[in-house]
Amino acid sequence: MSMAKPLSKLMSCVILDLDGTLINTDGIVCDVLRVHLVKFGKKWDGKRAHRIVGKTPYEAAAAIVEVYELPVTADEFLSELTPIFSKKWGSIKAQPGANRLINHLRSHGVPIALASNSSKENVETKISFHRGWKESFSVILGGDEVTNGKPSPEIYLEAAKRLKMDTSTCLVIEDSLPGVTAGKAAGMEVVAVPSLPKQTDVFTSADEVINSLLDLKLERGRRDITNRTLVDWRSSHQRIWPWLESARNPYS
């Protein structure tokens, strides 16, 4: 069954999520929790990872404390984990296709924003380990710069505002359900790249679901009268963008 929807829009910019979308944060988080929960006599269950993916750090900590019935508050648990995670950020690898995508968009002059539920400080620390990433983004937003994190659309609305773009011309690429929900609520087109296995069926609100950033077929762009590179979404089972074309639809 195809998830494609009839569309005919020109997209002028791309807003990317960070954790799980561009970098494999989930692997590091699971490794840390697997070790740390032993302190409480608990065993990490990877099947519960969906409870924390796409959440703010506090929300994720609160979910773990609740699910595993830990004898600490969410604030205390987060305080324990923060220094541990800080030592791990340099070892987080880019997701397959992330460097290719960022380099392609930058070389074609496409405005790119980064919008993450992580704090601005953590976002900048994480991307500092990936050459060329920081200077590729016109806007970098952390979850602590808005009142409400994803699934609220606030961070995406703010990203569009700082890019000076209409929300209807923004393309969002996300790995989590809260992120997809936020992007759609902001009035944007959203491509989902689920970071957890066997989760594609829950992303029904996304405009398209792909398995990997490598599934994006990158093409040369065309420009409008203001010399901005455009993304052309055509009404078909396989959307086509001049500089960002989905190579295949897993639901076809």
Side-chain angles (χ1 to χ4, degrees):
M1 181 179 76
S2 174
M3 296 246 335
K5 302 172 184 178
L7 293 170
S8 181
K9 290 189 177 182
L10 293 176
M11 315 306 291
S12 300
C13 63
V14 175
I15 306 178
L16 297 165
D17 172 56
L18 178 63
D19 299 301
T21 301
L22 294 180
I23 58 176
N24 185 22
T25 317
D26 298 338
I28 295 292
V29 170
C30 289
D31 288 344
V32 169
L33 291 176
R34 187 175 292 109
V35 173
H36 197 71
L37 285 175
V38 173
K39 168 185 174 181
F40 300 97
K42 306 290 184 177
K43 183 177 180 181
W44 169 249
D45 181 0
K47 294 180 180 179
R48 293 179 173 179
H50 69 278
R51 296 287 300 270
I52 62 175
V53 171
K55 303 292 182 66
T56 65
Y58 178 82
E59 290 170 341
I64 295 169
V65 168
E66 177 185 357
V67 170
Y68 289 91
E69 300 179 338
L70 303 184
V72 293
T73 66
D75 284 316
E76 290 170 338
F77 190 63
L78 188 58
S79 295
E80 291 179 9
L81 291 179
T82 296
I84 300 174
F85 283 132
S86 296
K87 295 177 182 178
K88 301 284 186 179
W89 296 149
S91 60
I92 302 177
K93 295 182 179 180
Q95 295 282 38
N99 281 303
R100 170 176 168 263
L101 174 61
I102 292 172
N103 291 337
H104 184 84
L105 296 176
R106 181 181 64 229
S107 66
H108 283 78
V110 178
I112 323 171
L114 190 60
S116 170
N117 262 349
S118 293
S119 70
K120 177 72 170 289
E121 181 181 3
N122 279 348
V123 169
E124 293 192 329
T125 298
K126 292 170 187 175
I127 65 175
S128 70
F129 296 101
H130 299 272
R131 183 180 300 176
W133 280 24
K134 185 173 183 178
E135 53 268 34
S136 297
F137 296 104
S138 302
V139 172
I140 298 176
L141 269 173
D144 55 340
E145 296 183 273
V146 294
T147 303
N148 300 297
K150 306 169 191 175
S152 164
E154 185 179 354
I155 196 167
Y156 281 122
L157 294 173
E158 181 62 23
K161 180 181 178 181
R162 295 191 188 186
L163 286 171
K164 295 181 173 59
M165 296 288 183
D166 187 275
T167 57
S168 65
T169 68
C170 299
L171 175 66
V172 168
I173 301 181
E174 269 279 1
D175 75 297
S176 71
L177 189 56
V180 170
T181 301
K184 293 307 298 178
M188 302 175 181
E189 304 300 333
V190 180
V191 172
V193 193
S195 57
L196 295 179
K198 300 179 181 179
Q199 288 285 306
T200 55
D201 60 321
V202 304
F203 288 86
T204 55
S205 62
D207 296 287
E208 185 150 354
V209 182
I210 58 178
N211 294 321
S212 163
L213 294 177
L214 290 172
D215 289 343
L216 295 171
K217 182 181 178 183
L218 307 180
E219 301 289 351
R220 296 179 65 85
R222 66 183 180 83
R223 296 179 179 273
D224 67 4
I225 57 175
T226 64
N227 204 37
R228 291 184 305 179
T229 304
L230 299 176
V231 186
D232 185 7
W233 286 59
R234 299 178 185 173
S235 178
S236 68
H237 289 300
Q238 188 169 317
R239 253 98 73 220
I240 299 175
W241 310 307
W243 46 255
L244 187 62
E245 179 183 350
S246 177
R248 59 192 174 88
N249 186 332
Y251 288 90
S252 297

